[in-house]
């Protein structure tokens, strides 16, 4: 995989460089609530612009249905990118139409433009190779060189991720190079003890990675909504908690395999429960009840790990040499259910381990709960991509850059 440093050495002044970034930031009424993904691409954009390239930044945002939708416009992300760069960023109101060509044609060496949401064109996400290829051809007409730096999208076989690199000289940006280097530390020559903390809502989202980790990790700590399917598999009643009943047989098999492989599988010993899901906007006091994990009332739902579990999980992280964390321990967006997620984050900081926060809600939680991002070993920008890499899958976007 060629890197951006090799591209700079070859010379980029005056060249049109297409940077496939991941600017898929969360928005609330058109306002960015977490700009982490924009800041993550800054090193690549800054380096290219400083070397005299004409930089074209492209990304998806949300899930528009192959047509323009103002709700998913990249304009707020483009404006924030300009603020972070400290200079104007041109914005094209289409992807491959006249506005995009005008924006690119108007660039001087060292300047930056952002084109509109790639998913406003159905060809970006099409499963039809021809339709996807035709869109990639039109994107290729905008540029001389391709730089892949949108790690959060490399597990997608999309036109700008998979097909476009085949049409242009292609290189990996700093973010992708960093992400791949970190993930190799989690899969090759891992420093032990290797502890993995998994949370999030659905166990089905994590089955494949759990399957892989049962042969690699020393300890698995399970929290979040997915924990209740594990508790059910152990024979406990979970009341009105989130439960994937159809996954219970598979989870039972994993519990047995963990024992056979000598992997310590750690589940909550107590949980915070309530009869109703909290109002995340009002954030009114929820007054949760703390109960043992095997004593959840029929009309209560588990919404966070309890204080004893917080202590237990912290103790299991303390002596680790490597920690990977993906998924919050509870409904961290509400202050009454944020303690479990805080406890895991703090335990990572208190350990002397190489710590990786695996993107998605975990990365958002770190920022929302006020932790210093720089205190962690690495915070990934791509939760889904990270998990698929750990599952051993071939990621289309990385394969395209390696070709």
């Amino acid at each position: 995989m060629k890197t951006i440093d090799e591209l700079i050495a070859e010379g980029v002044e005056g060249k049109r460089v297409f940077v496939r970034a991941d600017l898929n930031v969360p928005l609330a009424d058109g306002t960015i609530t977490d700009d982490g993904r924009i800041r993550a691409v800054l090193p690549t954009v800054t380096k290219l612009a400083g070397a005299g390239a004409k930089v074209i930044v492209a990304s998806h945002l949300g899930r528009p249905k192959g047509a323009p939708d103002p709700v998913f416009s990249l304009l707020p992300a483009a404006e924030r990118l300009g603020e972070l760069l400290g200079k104007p960023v041109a914005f094209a109101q289409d992807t491959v139409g006249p506005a995009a060509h005008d924006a690119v044609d108007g660039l001087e060496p060292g300047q930056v433009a952002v084109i509109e949401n790639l998913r406003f064109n159905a060809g970006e996400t099409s499963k039809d190779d021809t339709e996807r290829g035709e869109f990639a051809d039109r994107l290729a007409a905008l540029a001389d060189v391709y730089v892949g730096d949108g790690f959060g999208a490399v597990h997608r076989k999309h036109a700008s991720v998979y097909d476009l690199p085949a049409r242009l000289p292609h290189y990996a940006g700093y973010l992708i190079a960093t992400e791949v280097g970190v993930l190799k530390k989690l899969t090759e020559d891992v420093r032990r003890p290797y502890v993995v903390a998994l949370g999030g809502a659905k166990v089905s989202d994590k089955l494949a990675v759990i399957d892989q980790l049962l042969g690699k990790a020393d300890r698995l700590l399970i929290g979040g909504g997915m924990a209740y399917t594990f508790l059910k598999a152990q024979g406990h009643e979970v009341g009105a908690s989130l439960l994937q009943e159809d996954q219970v047989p598979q989870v039972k098999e994993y519990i047995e395999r963990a024992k056979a492989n000598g992997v310590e599988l750690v589940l909550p010993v107590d949980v915070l429960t309530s009869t109703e899901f909290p109002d995340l906007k009002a954030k009114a006091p929820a007054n949760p009840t703390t109960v043992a994990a095997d004593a959840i009332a029929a009309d209560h739902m588990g919404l966070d790990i309890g204080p004893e579990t917080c202590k237990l999980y912290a103790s299991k992280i303390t002596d680790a040499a490597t920690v990977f964390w993906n998924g919050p321990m509870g409904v961290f967006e509400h202050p009454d259910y944020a303690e479990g997620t805080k406890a895991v984050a703090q335990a990572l900081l208190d350990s002397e381990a190489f710590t990786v926060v695996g993107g998605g809600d975990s990365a958002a939680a770190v920022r929302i709960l006020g932790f210093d991002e720089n205190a962690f070993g690495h915070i990934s920008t791509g939760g889904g991509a990270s998990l698929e890499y750990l599952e051993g899958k071939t990621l289309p976007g990385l394969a395209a850059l390696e070709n």
Side-chain angles (χ1 to χ4, degrees):
M1 185 187 296
K2 282 190 170 184
T3 67
I4 188 174
D5 286 331
E6 292 173 86
L7 171 60
I8 299 295
E10 293 167 8
V12 292
E13 185 165 359
K15 289 185 178 179
R16 302 170 302 164
V17 181
F18 188 104
V19 178
R20 201 331 180 162
D22 180 8
L23 308 182
N24 186 28
V25 292
L27 296 169
D29 300 322
T31 300
I32 297 170
T33 58
D34 181 0
D35 66 359
R37 284 177 170 166
I38 301 175
R39 286 185 284 113
V41 78
L42 285 177
T44 290
V45 173
T46 301
K47 187 73 171 183
L48 288 168
K54 300 176 180 181
V55 185
I56 307 145
V57 180
S59 176
H60 70 288
L61 192 152
R63 296 179 182 273
K65 298 179 180 179
D69 183 338
V71 172
F72 298 109
S73 174
L74 274 175
L75 179 58
E79 292 174 340
R80 181 58 180 151
L81 177 62
E83 291 172 359
L84 292 169
L85 289 172
K87 63 181 182 180
V89 168
F91 180 70
Q93 295 182 338
D94 59 29
T95 55
V96 289
H101 282 274
D102 287 347
V104 173
D105 291 345
L107 289 175
E108 296 293 332
Q111 293 184 336
V112 180
V114 175
I115 63 174
E116 186 54 285
N117 193 336
L118 292 164
R119 291 185 182 175
F120 283 2
N121 189 303
E124 169 67 1
T125 59
S126 177
K127 290 183 170 30
D128 181 84
D129 291 347
T130 300
E131 184 179 14
R132 220 175 47 246
E134 289 174 350
F135 183 50
D137 287 338
R138 297 181 71 187
L139 289 172
L142 293 170
D144 305 305
V145 181
Y146 177 92
V147 171
D149 214 33
F151 181 74
V154 294
H155 58 314
R156 306 295 188 191
K157 192 176 182 181
H158 291 169
S160 66
V161 175
Y162 179 74
D163 301 273
L164 183 55
R167 289 158 167 78
L168 294 170
H170 45 272
Y171 303 79
Y174 289 128
L175 176 61
I176 280 187
T178 298
E179 294 273 11
V180 171
V182 166
L183 288 169
K184 285 183 177 179
K185 291 184 179 181
L186 299 178
T187 53
E188 305 169 12
D189 297 323
V190 182
R191 292 172 55 217
R192 298 184 180 278
Y194 178 22
V195 178
V196 177
L198 294 177
K202 295 181 179 180
V203 69
S204 57
D205 293 340
K206 307 280 172 49
L207 285 177
V209 76
I210 292 171
D211 184 70
Q212 287 291 315
L213 290 169
L214 286 174
K216 294 177 180 176
D218 298 301
R219 294 181 199 132
L220 283 178
L221 316 181
I222 305 295
M226 62 185 288
Y228 302 100
T229 302
F230 276 84
L231 292 171
K232 182 71 172 180
Q234 285 190 324
H236 304 312
E237 292 304 318
V238 296
S241 305
L242 185 63
L243 172 66
Q244 288 187 283
E245 190 83 50
D246 61 323
Q247 302 296 335
V248 169
Q250 181 66 74
V251 169
K252 284 182 177 179
E253 191 271 324
Y254 284 168
I255 292 173
E256 291 304 313
R257 186 140 61 92
K259 291 178 183 177
N261 290 354
V263 177
E264 187 179 1
L265 181 62
V266 189
L267 299 178
V269 294
D270 63 345
V271 294
L272 302 187
T273 71
S274 177
T275 55
E276 57 186 10
F277 196 84
D279 185 335
L280 299 183
K281 287 188 177 180
K283 291 185 171 54
N287 301 315
T289 301
T290 302
V291 301
D294 60 357
I296 301 173
D299 62 341
H300 277 60
M301 63 183 75
L303 295 166
D304 193 13
I305 58 174
E308 292 305 313
T309 305
C310 289
K311 294 176 187 176
L312 173 65
Y313 284 14
S315 73
K316 298 297 183 181
I317 291 170
T318 300
D319 68 341
T322 304
V323 185
F324 174 71
W325 169 36
N326 180 279
M329 296 292 109
V331 186
F332 74 92
E333 299 92 340
H334 191 286
D336 286 353
Y337 300 110
E339 292 306 312
T341 302
K342 283 182 182 177
V344 168
Q346 188 62 52
L348 265 67
L349 295 183
D350 292 341
S351 75
E352 295 183 0
F354 173 63
T355 56
V356 180
V357 181
D361 287 340
S362 309
V366 164
R367 289 187 275 268
I368 290 170
L369 297 176
F371 288 94
D372 178 4
E373 295 176 64
N374 296 321
F376 297 89
H378 179 70
I379 297 181
S380 178
T381 57
S386 295
L387 289 176
E388 290 198 16
Y389 190 101
L390 294 181
E391 289 166 21
K393 290 185 177 179
T394 296
L395 306 189
L398 296 185
L401 291 175
E402 290 166 351
N403 188 346

